[in-house]
Amino acid sequence: MMSKDYEFLKEVVLEAGQMMADTASLSIEQKGANDFVTNRDKEIQDFLIERLSKQYPNAKFVAEEKMNLYDLPGEYFVIDPIDGTHNFMNGIPLCAVCLAYVKDGEIRESFVYNSLLHEMFSASKGEGAFFNGERVARRKSLPLDRSVILTEDGWKGDKSVIRKYAACARILGSAEIGICYAGCGRCGAYISPRLHLWDYAAGMLFAQECGMLVIERNGKRARLIEPNHILVCEEDMKDELLALWAEAEPE
Ligand code: IPD
Ligand code: CA
Ligand code: CA
């Protein structure tokens, strides 16, 4: 049986996903170079913070569209109201409402919901990973030379090095979705550039509960730090991929 937290949070995320599916009357603001936010991002974030603070009065929030303190408290939520905003504002259905619930330094529950494709990736610490409510039976990755490796535009690494060893390098435009795809075996691995906590926290628990490693460049388990670089892969591809990463992006 899933925890009360999981059940409650899932309902809230489903509601937020309905807000994302409403793509009418969008207004777009530029925050910086190639950095945009829409009115929908802000509405979803406000909705989540309002609903969650009623149920968890002591919890703090780390969320993309607000000022954040990074002295992280015992209980907090990590929110990316829409991960993949560029995709969203262009009508590309690769974007998701993302929520992670962290208590005592561990992600307990997480949700990455792409309501445009009706795909919910969720996880509960120690209870498993779920795709649209069904437990994920992870598909074994193909060998590296047949695998798709997902990465990001912001990755400073040389993508031709990925192409040298793997079948191809792809960029989806939503880090959280990429991490979930690596988790459930839709691709061989995911290598990130500099990510904010809200770009990876929710996907990280999903991938871990699928039995995948989520590690930093030194090969150690990824920490919840802001920002971070991560590699999501199977144990038996770890050494090959860390070597690839080092070659593509020398320190
Ligand atoms: C972005 C996406 C993208 C990643 C960027 C993120 P946003 O988040 O996750 O895939 O490359 O680093 O900022 O702005 O769409 O929420
Ligand atoms: Ca994001
Ligand atoms: Ca965002």
Side-chain angles (χ1 to χ4, degrees), residues 80-125:
D80 194 337
I82 300 181
D83 186 49
T85 296
H86 271 99
N87 285 345
F88 175 71
M89 68 196 213
N90 282 283
I92 299 172
L94 282 173
C95 46
V97 173
C98 305
L99 177 72
Y101 174 49
V102 184
K103 205 169 171 195
D104 302 328
E106 284 199 330
I107 310 169
R108 302 297 173 104
E109 319 288 343
S110 79
F111 304 86
V112 173
Y113 183 35
N114 179 355
S115 53
L116 304 184
L117 296 182
H118 310 288
E119 295 197 329
M120 167 74 93
F121 303 87
S122 63
S124 185
K125 175 89 187 161

Side-chain angles (χ1 to χ4, degrees), residues 31-45:
K31 294 196 283 181
N34 277 326
D35 195 8
F36 298 92
V37 61
T38 73
N39 51 330
R40 201 66 79 248
D41 298 65
K42 292 181 184 170
E43 288 159 16
I44 294 172
Q45 178 170 298

Side-chain angles (χ1 to χ4, degrees), residues 31 35-36 41 64-65 80 82-87 151-154 171-176 190 193-196 198-199:
K31 294 196 283 181
D35 195 8
F36 298 92
D41 298 65
E64 177 165 15
E65 311 302 341
D80 194 337
I82 300 181
D83 186 49
T85 296
H86 271 99
N87 285 345
T151 185
E152 301 290 343
D153 272 324
I171 295 168
L172 299 183
S174 159
E176 291 278 27
Y190 171 90
R194 195 184 136 94
L195 291 179
H196 291 292
W198 50 80
D199 296 321

Side-chain angles (χ1 to χ4, degrees), residues 8-9 48-56 61 77 99:
F8 172 77
L9 297 173
L48 289 172
I49 293 181
E50 196 200 321
R51 285 294 285 274
L52 299 174
S53 29
K54 278 193 193 133
Q55 189 81 4
Y56 300 84
F61 295 89
F77 287 96
L99 177 72

